[in-house]
Amino acid sequence: MAILLFPHTPTLTYHRHSISLTPVRWSSPATTVRFTTSNAKKNTTTQDTALLWYKNDLRVDDHPGLIAASKHKALLPLYVFDHRILRDFNEEMFELILYALKDLRDSLKDLGSNLMIRFGRTESVIQDLVKEVRAANVYTQEEVEYDSRLVIDKVKETLGDVFLEKDCPKISLWGSSFYDLKNMMDIPLSYDEFQRLKLDVHLPLSAPNFPSVVPDLAWGPLPTLNDLKEFMDESPYKLKDSWSLIKNTSAAYVLQNDRILMSDGGTNIQGSLNSLGSQITKKKLKKSASITKQGNFVGGGTSDVLDALAAYLKYFEGTARDDWQELHERLRNAETREGASFGFLFGPVLQLGVVSGRRVYNEAIKYEKDRNGGFLSPFGYSCFTVASSADHVCSREYAVMGGEGPAILLVHGFGAFLEHYRDNITNIVDGGNRVWAITLLGFGRSEKPNVVYTELMWAELLRSFIVDVVGEPVHLVGNSFGGYFVSIVAGLWPALARSVVLVNSAGHYIPGYSSVPPSKERKTTGIAWLGARGLSFYLRLSFRNLVKRCYPTKTDRADERLLNEMSYDPGVLVVLESIFTFDPSIPLNYLLKGFMRKVLIIQGMKDPISDSKTKVNVVKKHFKEIAIKELDAGHCPHDELPEEVNSIIREWVVNIESRPGILEQTASDGNRIAAI
């Protein structure tokens, strides 16, 4: 078994020293070939046909897969409207896809090629085309989302079943790194050490010269929006109603339905996006960067998006262009905090791959140099538009291990990261489980966007991760603040959770608690801004001693590897502000009511951060259905005593899975229907 780290966007993926790049969930007879930008150029010219399968990479600019495929004698670009890949998109995203595909087809035609459009099951479409054009290679971008990965797996399986081994086309999965790395294993764990390397950023790649076009093919028409909506309405692969509601309902809304008047606190990003169009009342321009009916996002083809990016970067210069003025107004409405507007306006086109992260970074840095006489300041960027553009194209990471068995999701605490479960993942997998570990947004090497971080936001991110990536209910394991986050997930969306394991969790147990008062509005304040910087300074001086205090039984476990990973990252200042607005006022017993028989507490009794003895006594006296394991450990028993904790979690999962009556409701509400 091996762990696989996935980048959320095609940027730098921070692979750990002990991690192998073997995808454990894929086992098709078809050959898988991986390449990055650096070795894609070295492919020699072949004498056969390549099929390039587009998904979330709708461009010809900076496309390593296109460059590799162009080395073949003939090239067939393909896009398939597949219910399974598109089922989570809304109407506005459908509009963006159609605009992007029209531009992609036009760009390919300008280069002497075309884009084939097909509808249906991708594996059947590719199987037929491989036979028709005698394709020797199928190129496609490696994906992280559950549905896309399953479709890729199905393509490989189908080709392996249909063709003899010697005739089976190779499945070449491409990805692109952000920095010019000679050896991925040489990446230091410390952010400060990484900065000292001063690595060059890969320049975006230009579109290649195209080989001949496969003749006599029916390329297929591009559908209208109504055609696409009718096609999706007929989908046999829709999520169950409960999962659809889960995906599209904010945590605050769920709480309000319980008659709890809580502020959204900036957690419902989609709601913020949907409100932008209503805030702009003037007539939509004929030439506009916001091309959809609702007009929330930047859209169009690569050149349109790059023009909008130029307008965004030059916000402080002013403009006489009406379309740029319109974008600047949208920027102001989306600027809930400095730099937040970039993710709001450009996030969807980055998700569709209309432009690459490297292209965005390159354009931002080029503009910054133009502003500063050709130089980059060592003290940061000169304006927030450059900073927000450059900083947005960072990586997010998670690890998945195991091929079969119950699904378990490990969630770290505040200031930690996925490798805080460094000695848990493998051992729990060996117990016959599949394990996911995630670095939450704002921590470790994950992206740190300019949003207001709240416990509800982190819970919503976990919810989306379970729905989009795991694809089935999970056993939730959370340490410290992570325990509070998973409790919110289980409490508000019980269909996603098979059980909950709280490892020295944040939060309290209050007997008799039946309602929750309204929370305060979450926003950045001067006190939070100043407090975050003071706390950051304090942590830089004393965090090593603080971490070691959390390991009272085995202080040697707070080793250099762990401490270096927790070193200072300048992006963490925004996250530290959440310390001053974090609201754990909803008691754990309120969140987990009706869930008690599926809750296990693993409590380190020497925790220097909380009163473990009082917490355990309250649970034993008032919440007898909750199981408790007391350990001679501190705040992080999973890392301090991994063997004991691993054994407890494995036994707990086996016990829960063997009690079908407890899981019956979860099974009836939570599973996807006919995923593939």
PDB file of all heavy atoms in Angstrom, residues 402-436:
ATOM      1  N   GLY A 402      -5.383   2.582   1.251  1.00  0.00           N
ATOM      2  CA  GLY A 402      -6.241   1.422   1.430  1.00  0.00           C
ATOM      3  C   GLY A 402      -7.141   1.204   0.248  1.00  0.00           C
ATOM      4  O   GLY A 402      -7.616   2.150  -0.376  1.00  0.00           O
ATOM      5  N   GLY A 403      -7.393  -0.069  -0.085  1.00  0.00           N
ATOM      6  CA  GLY A 403      -8.174  -0.384  -1.267  1.00  0.00           C
ATOM      7  C   GLY A 403      -9.595  -0.819  -0.976  1.00  0.00           C
ATOM      8  O   GLY A 403     -10.449  -0.782  -1.849  1.00  0.00           O
ATOM      9  N   GLU A 404      -9.875  -1.248   0.263  1.00  0.00           N
ATOM     10  CA  GLU A 404     -11.211  -1.737   0.572  1.00  0.00           C
ATOM     11  C   GLU A 404     -11.458  -1.628   2.068  1.00  0.00           C
ATOM     12  O   GLU A 404     -10.545  -1.394   2.851  1.00  0.00           O
ATOM     13  CB  GLU A 404     -11.358  -3.192   0.111  1.00  0.00           C
ATOM     14  CG  GLU A 404     -10.338  -4.128   0.732  1.00  0.00           C
ATOM     15  CD  GLU A 404     -10.425  -5.532   0.172  1.00  0.00           C
ATOM     16  OE1 GLU A 404     -11.245  -5.742  -0.749  1.00  0.00           O
ATOM     17  OE2 GLU A 404      -9.691  -6.408   0.644  1.00  0.00           O
ATOM     18  N   GLY A 405     -12.724  -1.801   2.448  1.00  0.00           N
ATOM     19  CA  GLY A 405     -13.084  -1.731   3.852  1.00  0.00           C
ATOM     20  C   GLY A 405     -13.800  -0.440   4.195  1.00  0.00           C
ATOM     21  O   GLY A 405     -13.989   0.439   3.345  1.00  0.00           O
ATOM     22  N   PRO A 406     -14.208  -0.274   5.455  1.00  0.00           N
ATOM     23  CA  PRO A 406     -14.903   0.947   5.893  1.00  0.00           C
ATOM     24  C   PRO A 406     -14.050   2.196   5.663  1.00  0.00           C
ATOM     25  O   PRO A 406     -12.825   2.159   5.770  1.00  0.00           O
ATOM     26  CB  PRO A 406     -15.128   0.703   7.389  1.00  0.00           C
ATOM     27  CG  PRO A 406     -15.078  -0.781   7.553  1.00  0.00           C
ATOM     28  CD  PRO A 406     -14.093  -1.267   6.538  1.00  0.00           C
ATOM     29  N   ALA A 407     -14.719   3.310   5.346  1.00  0.00           N
ATOM     30  CA  ALA A 407     -14.027   4.578   5.094  1.00  0.00           C
ATOM     31  C   ALA A 407     -13.862   5.354   6.395  1.00  0.00           C
ATOM     32  O   ALA A 407     -14.811   5.505   7.164  1.00  0.00           O
ATOM     33  CB  ALA A 407     -14.813   5.413   4.086  1.00  0.00           C
ATOM     34  N   ILE A 408     -12.640   5.837   6.637  1.00  0.00           N
ATOM     35  CA  ILE A 408     -12.319   6.596   7.840  1.00  0.00           C
ATOM     36  C   ILE A 408     -11.659   7.909   7.422  1.00  0.00           C
ATOM     37  O   ILE A 408     -10.754   7.900   6.582  1.00  0.00           O
ATOM     38  CB  ILE A 408     -11.368   5.799   8.756  1.00  0.00           C
ATOM     39  CG1 ILE A 408     -12.010   4.469   9.172  1.00  0.00           C
ATOM     40  CG2 ILE A 408     -10.995   6.612   9.996  1.00  0.00           C
ATOM     41  CD1 ILE A 408     -11.076   3.543   9.923  1.00  0.00           C
ATOM     42  N   LEU A 409     -12.102   9.014   7.988  1.00  0.00           N
ATOM     43  CA  LEU A 409     -11.518  10.316   7.704  1.00  0.00           C
ATOM     44  C   LEU A 409     -10.879  10.866   8.970  1.00  0.00           C
ATOM     45  O   LEU A 409     -11.543  11.033   9.992  1.00  0.00           O
ATOM     46  CB  LEU A 409     -12.583  11.289   7.188  1.00  0.00           C
ATOM     47  CG  LEU A 409     -12.140  12.742   6.947  1.00  0.00           C
ATOM     48  CD1 LEU A 409     -11.008  12.803   5.921  1.00  0.00           C
ATOM     49  CD2 LEU A 409     -13.317  13.599   6.489  1.00  0.00           C
ATOM     50  N   LEU A 410      -9.568  11.158   8.900  1.00  0.00           N
ATOM     51  CA  LEU A 410      -8.814  11.688  10.024  1.00  0.00           C
ATOM     52  C   LEU A 410      -8.673  13.199   9.873  1.00  0.00           C
ATOM     53  O   LEU A 410      -8.200  13.682   8.844  1.00  0.00           O
ATOM     54  CB  LEU A 410      -7.424  11.042  10.083  1.00  0.00           C
ATOM     55  CG  LEU A 410      -7.382   9.510  10.091  1.00  0.00           C
ATOM     56  CD1 LEU A 410      -5.932   9.015  10.092  1.00  0.00           C
ATOM     57  CD2 LEU A 410      -8.134   8.945  11.285  1.00  0.00           C
ATOM     58  N   VAL A 411      -9.062  13.945  10.913  1.00  0.00           N
ATOM     59  CA  VAL A 411      -9.050  15.406  10.859  1.00  0.00           C
ATOM     60  C   VAL A 411      -8.179  15.932  11.998  1.00  0.00           C
ATOM     61  O   VAL A 411      -8.398  15.607  13.167  1.00  0.00           O
ATOM     62  CB  VAL A 411     -10.476  15.983  10.978  1.00  0.00           C
ATOM     63  CG1 VAL A 411     -10.441  17.509  10.871  1.00  0.00           C
ATOM     64  CG2 VAL A 411     -11.381  15.392   9.898  1.00  0.00           C
ATOM     65  N   HIS A 412      -7.199  16.756  11.647  1.00  0.00           N
ATOM     66  CA  HIS A 412      -6.235  17.273  12.621  1.00  0.00           C
ATOM     67  C   HIS A 412      -6.809  18.464  13.384  1.00  0.00           C
ATOM     68  O   HIS A 412      -7.885  18.981  13.080  1.00  0.00           O
ATOM     69  CB  HIS A 412      -4.949  17.687  11.908  1.00  0.00           C
ATOM     70  CG  HIS A 412      -5.168  18.765  10.888  1.00  0.00           C
ATOM     71  ND1 HIS A 412      -5.310  20.095  11.212  1.00  0.00           N
ATOM     72  CD2 HIS A 412      -5.278  18.705   9.527  1.00  0.00           C
ATOM     73  CE1 HIS A 412      -5.486  20.812  10.116  1.00  0.00           C
ATOM     74  NE2 HIS A 412      -5.483  19.984   9.070  1.00  0.00           N
ATOM     75  N   GLY A 413      -6.048  18.939  14.363  1.00  0.00           N
ATOM     76  CA  GLY A 413      -6.458  20.079  15.162  1.00  0.00           C
ATOM     77  C   GLY A 413      -5.862  21.383  14.663  1.00  0.00           C
ATOM     78  O   GLY A 413      -5.186  21.431  13.627  1.00  0.00           O
ATOM     79  N   PHE A 414      -6.105  22.450  15.402  1.00  0.00           N
ATOM     80  CA  PHE A 414      -5.644  23.782  15.007  1.00  0.00           C
ATOM     81  C   PHE A 414      -4.115  23.823  14.969  1.00  0.00           C
ATOM     82  O   PHE A 414      -3.445  23.420  15.919  1.00  0.00           O
ATOM     83  CB  PHE A 414      -6.166  24.836  15.986  1.00  0.00           C
ATOM     84  CG  PHE A 414      -6.147  26.227  15.444  1.00  0.00           C
ATOM     85  CD1 PHE A 414      -7.262  26.751  14.825  1.00  0.00           C
ATOM     86  CD2 PHE A 414      -5.004  27.012  15.532  1.00  0.00           C
ATOM     87  CE1 PHE A 414      -7.252  28.046  14.305  1.00  0.00           C
ATOM     88  CE2 PHE A 414      -4.982  28.292  15.019  1.00  0.00           C
ATOM     89  CZ  PHE A 414      -6.113  28.811  14.406  1.00  0.00           C
ATOM     90  N   GLY A 415      -3.578  24.317  13.863  1.00  0.00           N
ATOM     91  CA  GLY A 415      -2.139  24.446  13.710  1.00  0.00           C
ATOM     92  C   GLY A 415      -1.453  23.196  13.210  1.00  0.00           C
ATOM     93  O   GLY A 415      -0.260  23.222  12.917  1.00  0.00           O
ATOM     94  N   ALA A 416      -2.182  22.094  13.081  1.00  0.00           N
ATOM     95  CA  ALA A 416      -1.572  20.839  12.642  1.00  0.00           C
ATOM     96  C   ALA A 416      -1.826  20.629  11.144  1.00  0.00           C
ATOM     97  O   ALA A 416      -2.174  21.566  10.419  1.00  0.00           O
ATOM     98  CB  ALA A 416      -2.103  19.677  13.468  1.00  0.00           C
ATOM     99  N   PHE A 417      -1.726  19.400  10.667  1.00  0.00           N
ATOM    100  CA  PHE A 417      -1.742  19.077   9.243  1.00  0.00           C
ATOM    101  C   PHE A 417      -1.907  17.575   9.140  1.00  0.00           C
ATOM    102  O   PHE A 417      -1.890  16.850  10.149  1.00  0.00           O
ATOM    103  CB  PHE A 417      -0.439  19.528   8.576  1.00  0.00           C
ATOM    104  CG  PHE A 417       0.772  19.190   9.401  1.00  0.00           C
ATOM    105  CD1 PHE A 417       1.428  17.991   9.257  1.00  0.00           C
ATOM    106  CD2 PHE A 417       1.211  20.073  10.375  1.00  0.00           C
ATOM    107  CE1 PHE A 417       2.509  17.663  10.049  1.00  0.00           C
ATOM    108  CE2 PHE A 417       2.297  19.758  11.180  1.00  0.00           C
ATOM    109  CZ  PHE A 417       2.951  18.546  11.028  1.00  0.00           C
ATOM    110  N   LEU A 418      -2.047  17.051   7.915  1.00  0.00           N
ATOM    111  CA  LEU A 418      -2.374  15.631   7.770  1.00  0.00           C
ATOM    112  C   LEU A 418      -1.317  14.710   8.348  1.00  0.00           C
ATOM    113  O   LEU A 418      -1.621  13.626   8.843  1.00  0.00           O
ATOM    114  CB  LEU A 418      -2.673  15.280   6.316  1.00  0.00           C
ATOM    115  CG  LEU A 418      -1.569  15.291   5.255  1.00  0.00           C
ATOM    116  CD1 LEU A 418      -0.761  14.000   5.247  1.00  0.00           C
ATOM    117  CD2 LEU A 418      -2.177  15.506   3.882  1.00  0.00           C
ATOM    118  N   GLU A 419      -0.034  15.119   8.328  1.00  0.00           N
ATOM    119  CA  GLU A 419       1.003  14.224   8.825  1.00  0.00           C
ATOM    120  C   GLU A 419       1.046  14.159  10.347  1.00  0.00           C
ATOM    121  O   GLU A 419       1.877  13.458  10.905  1.00  0.00           O
ATOM    122  CB  GLU A 419       2.372  14.620   8.272  1.00  0.00           C
ATOM    123  CG  GLU A 419       2.699  13.879   7.003  1.00  0.00           C
ATOM    124  CD  GLU A 419       4.185  13.658   6.828  1.00  0.00           C
ATOM    125  OE1 GLU A 419       4.980  14.239   7.581  1.00  0.00           O
ATOM    126  OE2 GLU A 419       4.552  12.899   5.925  1.00  0.00           O
ATOM    127  N   HIS A 420       0.147  14.865  11.021  1.00  0.00           N
ATOM    128  CA  HIS A 420       0.025  14.647  12.459  1.00  0.00           C
ATOM    129  C   HIS A 420      -0.496  13.238  12.726  1.00  0.00           C
ATOM    130  O   HIS A 420      -0.394  12.737  13.852  1.00  0.00           O
ATOM    131  CB  HIS A 420      -0.907  15.691  13.078  1.00  0.00           C
ATOM    132  CG  HIS A 420      -0.645  15.918  14.526  1.00  0.00           C
ATOM    133  ND1 HIS A 420      -1.541  16.526  15.375  1.00  0.00           N
ATOM    134  CD2 HIS A 420       0.421  15.613  15.308  1.00  0.00           C
ATOM    135  CE1 HIS A 420      -1.047  16.595  16.596  1.00  0.00           C
ATOM    136  NE2 HIS A 420       0.145  16.036  16.586  1.00  0.00           N
ATOM    137  N   TYR A 421      -1.037  12.601  11.678  1.00  0.00           N
ATOM    138  CA  TYR A 421      -1.450  11.195  11.743  1.00  0.00           C
ATOM    139  C   TYR A 421      -0.410  10.300  11.071  1.00  0.00           C
ATOM    140  O   TYR A 421      -0.744   9.280  10.478  1.00  0.00           O
ATOM    141  CB  TYR A 421      -2.820  11.027  11.077  1.00  0.00           C
ATOM    142  CG  TYR A 421      -3.950  11.657  11.856  1.00  0.00           C
ATOM    143  CD1 TYR A 421      -4.477  12.889  11.488  1.00  0.00           C
ATOM    144  CD2 TYR A 421      -4.481  11.028  12.972  1.00  0.00           C
ATOM    145  CE1 TYR A 421      -5.518  13.468  12.212  1.00  0.00           C
ATOM    146  CE2 TYR A 421      -5.520  11.594  13.705  1.00  0.00           C
ATOM    147  CZ  TYR A 421      -6.034  12.811  13.312  1.00  0.00           C
ATOM    148  OH  TYR A 421      -7.059  13.388  14.036  1.00  0.00           O
ATOM    149  N   ARG A 422       0.847  10.694  11.162  1.00  0.00           N
ATOM    150  CA  ARG A 422       1.942  10.006  10.473  1.00  0.00           C
ATOM    151  C   ARG A 422       2.052   8.529  10.827  1.00  0.00           C
ATOM    152  O   ARG A 422       2.429   7.702   9.985  1.00  0.00           O
ATOM    153  CB  ARG A 422       3.262  10.718  10.810  1.00  0.00           C
ATOM    154  CG  ARG A 422       3.495  10.882  12.318  1.00  0.00           C
ATOM    155  CD  ARG A 422       4.678  11.748  12.643  1.00  0.00           C
ATOM    156  NE  ARG A 422       4.724  12.073  14.085  1.00  0.00           N
ATOM    157  CZ  ARG A 422       5.721  12.718  14.663  1.00  0.00           C
ATOM    158  NH1 ARG A 422       6.748  13.110  13.946  1.00  0.00           N
ATOM    159  NH2 ARG A 422       5.687  12.984  15.950  1.00  0.00           N
ATOM    160  N   ASP A 423       1.779   8.158  12.088  1.00  0.00           N
ATOM    161  CA  ASP A 423       1.913   6.766  12.514  1.00  0.00           C
ATOM    162  C   ASP A 423       0.563   6.105  12.775  1.00  0.00           C
ATOM    163  O   ASP A 423       0.487   5.093  13.477  1.00  0.00           O
ATOM    164  CB  ASP A 423       2.786   6.686  13.778  1.00  0.00           C
ATOM    165  CG  ASP A 423       4.236   7.041  13.504  1.00  0.00           C
ATOM    166  OD1 ASP A 423       4.712   6.725  12.401  1.00  0.00           O
ATOM    167  OD2 ASP A 423       4.880   7.648  14.375  1.00  0.00           O
ATOM    168  N   ASN A 424      -0.478   6.692  12.211  1.00  0.00           N
ATOM    169  CA  ASN A 424      -1.817   6.118  12.362  1.00  0.00           C
ATOM    170  C   ASN A 424      -2.361   5.534  11.066  1.00  0.00           C
ATOM    171  O   ASN A 424      -3.023   4.495  11.079  1.00  0.00           O
ATOM    172  CB  ASN A 424      -2.796   7.187  12.875  1.00  0.00           C
ATOM    173  CG  ASN A 424      -2.318   7.874  14.136  1.00  0.00           C
ATOM    174  OD1 ASN A 424      -1.973   9.049  14.109  1.00  0.00           O
ATOM    175  ND2 ASN A 424      -2.278   7.154  15.250  1.00  0.00           N
ATOM    176  N   ILE A 425      -2.097   6.216   9.959  1.00  0.00           N
ATOM    177  CA  ILE A 425      -2.749   5.868   8.694  1.00  0.00           C
ATOM    178  C   ILE A 425      -2.465   4.428   8.293  1.00  0.00           C
ATOM    179  O   ILE A 425      -3.377   3.626   8.077  1.00  0.00           O
ATOM    180  CB  ILE A 425      -2.317   6.838   7.576  1.00  0.00           C
ATOM    181  CG1 ILE A 425      -2.731   8.271   7.924  1.00  0.00           C
ATOM    182  CG2 ILE A 425      -2.929   6.425   6.245  1.00  0.00           C
ATOM    183  CD1 ILE A 425      -2.224   9.317   6.942  1.00  0.00           C
ATOM    184  N   THR A 426      -1.191   4.063   8.189  1.00  0.00           N
ATOM    185  CA  THR A 426      -0.831   2.732   7.714  1.00  0.00           C
ATOM    186  C   THR A 426      -1.389   1.644   8.618  1.00  0.00           C
ATOM    187  O   THR A 426      -1.942   0.638   8.149  1.00  0.00           O
ATOM    188  CB  THR A 426       0.703   2.597   7.619  1.00  0.00           C
ATOM    189  OG1 THR A 426       1.206   3.592   6.736  1.00  0.00           O
ATOM    190  CG2 THR A 426       1.088   1.225   7.115  1.00  0.00           C
ATOM    191  N   ASN A 427      -1.265   1.828   9.916  1.00  0.00           N
ATOM    192  CA  ASN A 427      -1.699   0.800  10.854  1.00  0.00           C
ATOM    193  C   ASN A 427      -3.207   0.619  10.837  1.00  0.00           C
ATOM    194  O   ASN A 427      -3.709  -0.505  10.944  1.00  0.00           O
ATOM    195  CB  ASN A 427      -1.221   1.160  12.263  1.00  0.00           C
ATOM    196  CG  ASN A 427      -1.327   0.002  13.221  1.00  0.00           C
ATOM    197  OD1 ASN A 427      -2.336  -0.139  13.886  1.00  0.00           O
ATOM    198  ND2 ASN A 427      -0.301  -0.834  13.280  1.00  0.00           N
ATOM    199  N   ILE A 428      -3.950   1.710  10.710  1.00  0.00           N
ATOM    200  CA  ILE A 428      -5.406   1.597  10.642  1.00  0.00           C
ATOM    201  C   ILE A 428      -5.825   0.927   9.341  1.00  0.00           C
ATOM    202  O   ILE A 428      -6.766   0.126   9.314  1.00  0.00           O
ATOM    203  CB  ILE A 428      -6.062   2.983  10.798  1.00  0.00           C
ATOM    204  CG1 ILE A 428      -5.767   3.560  12.193  1.00  0.00           C
ATOM    205  CG2 ILE A 428      -7.568   2.904  10.585  1.00  0.00           C
ATOM    206  CD1 ILE A 428      -6.265   4.982  12.396  1.00  0.00           C
ATOM    207  N   VAL A 429      -5.115   1.215   8.255  1.00  0.00           N
ATOM    208  CA  VAL A 429      -5.390   0.554   6.977  1.00  0.00           C
ATOM    209  C   VAL A 429      -5.154  -0.947   7.084  1.00  0.00           C
ATOM    210  O   VAL A 429      -5.922  -1.757   6.558  1.00  0.00           O
ATOM    211  CB  VAL A 429      -4.515   1.159   5.860  1.00  0.00           C
ATOM    212  CG1 VAL A 429      -4.542   0.280   4.611  1.00  0.00           C
ATOM    213  CG2 VAL A 429      -5.009   2.550   5.507  1.00  0.00           C
ATOM    214  N   ASP A 430      -4.103  -1.324   7.784  1.00  0.00           N
ATOM    215  CA  ASP A 430      -3.801  -2.749   7.942  1.00  0.00           C
ATOM    216  C   ASP A 430      -4.902  -3.494   8.680  1.00  0.00           C
ATOM    217  O   ASP A 430      -4.958  -4.728   8.634  1.00  0.00           O
ATOM    218  CB  ASP A 430      -2.475  -2.922   8.690  1.00  0.00           C
ATOM    219  CG  ASP A 430      -1.280  -2.501   7.849  1.00  0.00           C
ATOM    220  OD1 ASP A 430      -1.432  -2.413   6.618  1.00  0.00           O
ATOM    221  OD2 ASP A 430      -0.198  -2.252   8.423  1.00  0.00           O
ATOM    222  N   GLY A 431      -5.770  -2.763   9.365  1.00  0.00           N
ATOM    223  CA  GLY A 431      -6.915  -3.377  10.019  1.00  0.00           C
ATOM    224  C   GLY A 431      -8.084  -3.604   9.082  1.00  0.00           C
ATOM    225  O   GLY A 431      -9.178  -3.969   9.527  1.00  0.00           O
ATOM    226  N   GLY A 432      -7.864  -3.388   7.777  1.00  0.00           N
ATOM    227  CA  GLY A 432      -8.910  -3.625   6.783  1.00  0.00           C
ATOM    228  C   GLY A 432      -9.785  -2.425   6.519  1.00  0.00           C
ATOM    229  O   GLY A 432     -10.991  -2.563   6.259  1.00  0.00           O
ATOM    230  N   ASN A 433      -9.199  -1.228   6.549  1.00  0.00           N
ATOM    231  CA  ASN A 433      -9.962   0.003   6.339  1.00  0.00           C
ATOM    232  C   ASN A 433      -9.362   0.831   5.210  1.00  0.00           C
ATOM    233  O   ASN A 433      -8.209   0.642   4.823  1.00  0.00           O
ATOM    234  CB  ASN A 433      -9.954   0.842   7.625  1.00  0.00           C
ATOM    235  CG  ASN A 433     -10.483   0.077   8.818  1.00  0.00           C
ATOM    236  OD1 ASN A 433     -11.643  -0.289   8.872  1.00  0.00           O
ATOM    237  ND2 ASN A 433      -9.598  -0.190   9.784  1.00  0.00           N
ATOM    238  N   ARG A 434     -10.160   1.755   4.700  1.00  0.00           N
ATOM    239  CA  ARG A 434      -9.661   2.793   3.798  1.00  0.00           C
ATOM    240  C   ARG A 434      -9.597   4.088   4.590  1.00  0.00           C
ATOM    241  O   ARG A 434     -10.565   4.452   5.248  1.00  0.00           O
ATOM    242  CB  ARG A 434     -10.580   2.964   2.593  1.00  0.00           C
ATOM    243  CG  ARG A 434     -10.492   1.829   1.576  1.00  0.00           C
ATOM    244  CD  ARG A 434     -11.598   1.934   0.548  1.00  0.00           C
ATOM    245  NE  ARG A 434     -12.893   1.814   1.179  1.00  0.00           N
ATOM    246  CZ  ARG A 434     -13.957   2.547   0.845  1.00  0.00           C
ATOM    247  NH1 ARG A 434     -13.860   3.476  -0.094  1.00  0.00           N
ATOM    248  NH2 ARG A 434     -15.104   2.369   1.453  1.00  0.00           N
ATOM    249  N   VAL A 435      -8.471   4.769   4.515  1.00  0.00           N
ATOM    250  CA  VAL A 435      -8.248   5.933   5.372  1.00  0.00           C
ATOM    251  C   VAL A 435      -7.934   7.164   4.531  1.00  0.00           C
ATOM    252  O   VAL A 435      -7.076   7.115   3.647  1.00  0.00           O
ATOM    253  CB  VAL A 435      -7.095   5.674   6.367  1.00  0.00           C
ATOM    254  CG1 VAL A 435      -6.844   6.917   7.212  1.00  0.00           C
ATOM    255  CG2 VAL A 435      -7.420   4.481   7.258  1.00  0.00           C
ATOM    256  N   TRP A 436      -8.638   8.251   4.813  1.00  0.00           N
ATOM    257  CA  TRP A 436      -8.331   9.559   4.261  1.00  0.00           C
ATOM    258  C   TRP A 436      -7.821  10.450   5.391  1.00  0.00           C
ATOM    259  O   TRP A 436      -8.343  10.411   6.510  1.00  0.00           O
ATOM    260  CB  TRP A 436      -9.574  10.214   3.662  1.00  0.00           C
ATOM    261  CG  TRP A 436      -9.940   9.752   2.293  1.00  0.00           C
ATOM    262  CD1 TRP A 436      -9.671  10.370   1.107  1.00  0.00           C
ATOM    263  CD2 TRP A 436     -10.683   8.579   1.952  1.00  0.00           C
ATOM    264  NE1 TRP A 436     -10.180   9.647   0.055  1.00  0.00           N
ATOM    265  CE2 TRP A 436     -10.805   8.541   0.547  1.00  0.00           C
ATOM    266  CE3 TRP A 436     -11.247   7.541   2.701  1.00  0.00           C
ATOM    267  CZ2 TRP A 436     -11.470   7.525  -0.124  1.00  0.00           C
ATOM    268  CZ3 TRP A 436     -11.898   6.524   2.038  1.00  0.00           C
ATOM    269  CH2 TRP A 436     -12.014   6.520   0.643  1.00  0.00           C
TER     270      TRP A 436
END
